[in-house]
Amino acid sequence: MKNILFMIGLAATFTANLFAEETLQLNLVPERGYVVKNSPQEVVIKIDLSAIAGKQKTRRTPLNLAVVLDKSGSMTGAKLEKTKQAAMQLVDRLAPNDVFSLVIFSDEAQVLVPAQKVEDTEALKEKIEGIEAEGSTALYAGVKMGADQLQEFFSEKRINRVILLSDGLANVGPSSPRELRRLGGDLSEKGISVTTIGVGDDYNEDLMAGLAEASDANYYYVQDTEKLPEIFAKELGELLTVAARDVRIEITCPDGVKPLGFIGRAEKFDDQKATVNLSQFSTGQDRQLFLRCLVNGNQPEVARVRLNYKDELGDGSVQSAGGVAKIDFTDDQKLSDGSVNGAVNAEKELMLTAVAKDEAIAQADAGNYQQAASILKAQSAVLNGSFAAAPSGVQMQIRAETNNLDDFSDKISGGGSFDSSTRKILQSQSYNTRNSKSD
């Protein structure tokens, strides 16, 4: 176990990732280097975590997968056929030491393939091929049964994941987003995460996204059923290249600094401390947290960060590292204003764009379409204002996002057009930004 401590501030600025030989790299960057003395001011700290790219493991971590498929009547036709094709292709890519189980649900949940090692792929695919659509949507029972199958071979030495696919509203058993989010949280505490795949425009996106987010997994909105094999392949690709697991980030703010929380995340501070748990990182994956703090006084230390994770590119042991984010103080307002880090400011605004989308959705749900459009348009203007000082790569993201915000703003304000597809796209974009997931 390694224990490394770095202090990051204006006097010690790092442009490259820290801990270059570590599987999971930590970088802390304040939004500004100088704060005016004795003047309460908000400071944002970017907590950047990235899994090293290019480092290969001779033996990958075995999987324990439970695929949970909706076979209700609404899945009839192309949806079910493409779903079965995607599931069979997934089976073909599994290794003999991987564990696979398959649960189907309609009026009730049923174990079609009990948890077993993947020794006869043809027999497994034959089971998948025989699925036929009928009935209602007992989604909660399906997820619960899938998690139960994972318990048969559950091991900290395996990646334990449920993959849920559904196209409709849960209408049998517990069916509210709150109940499914609670289930996701309970499973997360047991070491199980739930990836959700919503197909079409009739499912409850708040339910599917909430379930995935509560267990720090992926959420996909699939409009075109032809893309289902691609989505399954992407999900499996991440699982096959896991570099770090059971990631725990502990953040402590000293006296004199008031933590205001994380942009776009629900974790709360208790007695100046907060913990963020992330399930896993694949090689080359980068994720960010943006911590808001109110600085008042002459306290140079803003936040102390402690990182622990299980190294899947090494021997599976727990590694740890830490860092301290610091700022300097000045009497010169111009010096403070000039010390703003353009990259961090722009990336912060991109994260705030996700928050703006959530606020716009809430307004549109209430029928306040003009207010929803105004929120998106205002954030587009703020985001555009960060363009000049941002690095070229971030500028490309800003340009794409401002165009996206303007398009949605115009669509919603023009006659109050806010259909199911529009809502799902906005919500999916927000989810992926807040959780540092790729679209």
Side-chain angles (χ1 to χ4, degrees):
M1 180 183 295
K2 298 183 180 180
N3 182 3
I4 309 171
L5 186 65
F6 276 86
M7 292 186 294
I8 307 168
L10 192 69
T13 302
F14 293 81
T15 56
N17 285 324
L18 303 181
F19 322 135
E21 297 303 317
E22 297 298 308
T23 291
L24 199 57
Q25 302 166 350
L26 170 67
N27 197 6
L28 308 177
V29 188
E31 183 185 16
R32 66 175 63 231
Y34 282 102
V35 172
V36 175
K37 292 180 181 177
N38 301 317
S39 176
Q41 188 168 348
E42 181 176 318
V43 174
V44 173
I45 305 297
K46 176 187 175 184
I47 303 172
D48 185 86
L49 293 170
S50 58
I52 191 170
K55 185 178 178 182
Q56 300 296 323
K57 185 177 181 180
T58 56
R59 184 180 180 185
R60 71 167 173 81
T61 307
L63 307 181
N64 181 16
L65 290 183
V67 176
V68 180
L69 299 182
D70 182 348
K71 74 174 195 80
S72 61
S74 59
M75 287 288 291
T76 301
K79 288 180 184 177
L80 185 58
E81 291 307 311
K82 280 297 176 182
T83 296
K84 293 194 292 187
Q85 178 186 334
M88 288 188 285
Q89 289 178 359
L90 180 147
V91 167
D92 279 331
R93 293 185 60 189
L94 297 178
N97 193 39
D98 292 324
V99 173
F100 176 81
S101 57
L102 177 64
V103 171
I104 54 177
F105 64 92
S106 53
D107 294 328
E108 59 184 20
Q110 173 190 352
V111 177
L112 189 62
V113 176
Q116 58 190 269
K117 290 190 175 182
V118 183
E119 297 173 344
D120 188 345
T121 58
E122 293 305 315
L124 295 178
K125 289 192 291 183
E126 185 176 345
K127 287 280 191 179
I128 295 170
E129 182 61 42
I131 299 173
E132 295 182 356
E134 61 179 353
S136 300
T137 310
L139 189 149
Y140 187 100
V143 175
K144 185 70 168 55
M145 190 170 288
D148 290 343
Q149 287 300 303
L150 292 184
Q151 295 291 350
E152 296 295 318
F153 285 83
F154 184 88
S155 169
E156 292 184 355
K157 295 182 179 180
R158 292 183 179 274
I159 297 171
N160 305 284
R161 175 68 62 96
V162 173
I163 301 177
L164 165 71
L165 182 146
S166 180
D167 78 327
L169 297 173
N171 51 24
V172 177
S175 57
S176 71
R178 185 175 183 177
E179 289 169 313
L180 269 295
R181 180 178 281 275
R182 185 182 300 116
L183 174 61
D186 291 343
L187 294 178
S188 179
E189 292 180 0
K190 297 176 181 179
I192 295 171
S193 51
V194 185
T195 283
T196 61
I197 303 171
V199 183
D201 292 329
D202 295 328
Y203 70 91
N204 185 327
E205 61 268 28
D206 294 335
L207 182 154
M208 295 287 271
L211 175 57
E213 190 165 41
S215 61
D216 190 47
N218 295 319
Y219 160 62
Y220 303 95
Y221 165 41
V222 182
Q223 292 176 289
D224 183 359
T225 56
E226 293 292 325
K227 293 186 177 180
L228 282 173
E230 176 185 330
I231 296 297
F232 271 70
K234 179 181 179 181
E235 178 70 11
L236 182 60
E238 286 192 16
L239 296 176
L240 296 179
T241 57
V242 168
R245 288 198 289 154
D246 301 337
V247 181
R248 181 180 177 88
I249 310 159
E250 298 175 346
I251 303 98
T252 305
C253 293
D255 293 338
V257 175
K258 181 180 180 180
L260 302 177
F262 301 95
I263 297 175
R265 296 191 66 93
E267 288 87 353
K268 303 295 184 183
F269 276 79
D270 182 19
D271 192 26
Q272 299 290 97
K273 298 179 181 179
T275 301
V276 177
N277 294 308
L278 304 176
S279 61
Q280 64 190 41
F281 279 70
S282 297
T283 54
Q285 186 177 14
D286 186 59
R287 300 184 70 173
Q288 302 88 33
L289 305 174
F290 291 87
L291 171 65
R292 298 171 57 233
C293 297
L294 185 64
V295 177
N296 184 16
N298 298 318
Q299 168 61 263
E301 181 179 315
V302 180
R304 186 175 294 268
V305 179
R306 184 75 178 175
L307 168 68
N308 292 280
Y309 64 95
K310 186 178 294 183
D311 185 0
E312 294 299 315
L313 295 185
D315 59 3
S317 62
V318 174
Q319 299 294 322
S320 65
V324 179
K326 302 183 72 175
I327 54 174
D328 288 326
F329 291 88
T330 180
D331 293 317
D332 189 342
Q333 183 66 57
K334 289 185 178 179
L335 178 60
S336 176
D337 294 341
S339 70
V340 173
N341 184 311
V344 174
N345 178 61
E347 291 168 333
K348 175 198 74 175
E349 290 302 335
L350 284 167
M351 186 64 74
L352 284 169
T353 298
V355 177
K357 289 175 182 176
D358 290 339
E359 293 173 349
I361 289 172
Q363 290 295 330
D365 285 347
N368 302 323
Y369 300 113
Q370 291 300 325
Q371 180 64 21
S374 296
I375 290 171
L376 298 179
K377 186 69 75 174
Q379 182 58 26
S380 176
V382 173
L383 192 56
N384 192 56
S386 69
F387 180 86
S392 59
V394 179
Q395 285 183 336
M396 293 177 63
Q397 295 179 55
I398 292 173
R399 183 62 65 225
E401 190 60 273
T402 53
N403 290 336
N404 181 54
L405 289 170
D406 291 342
D407 288 345
F408 277 110
S409 177
D410 293 342
K411 181 177 182 179
I412 294 172
S413 63
S417 176
F418 188 71
D419 57 17
S420 179
S421 176
T422 299
R423 191 185 194 281
K424 284 177 168 60
I425 293 172
L426 279 172
Q427 191 243 30
S428 176
Q429 290 177 352
S430 172
Y431 182 94
N432 288 328
T433 299
R434 288 185 293 99
N435 294 282
S436 301
K437 306 286 188 178
S438 59
D439 291 325

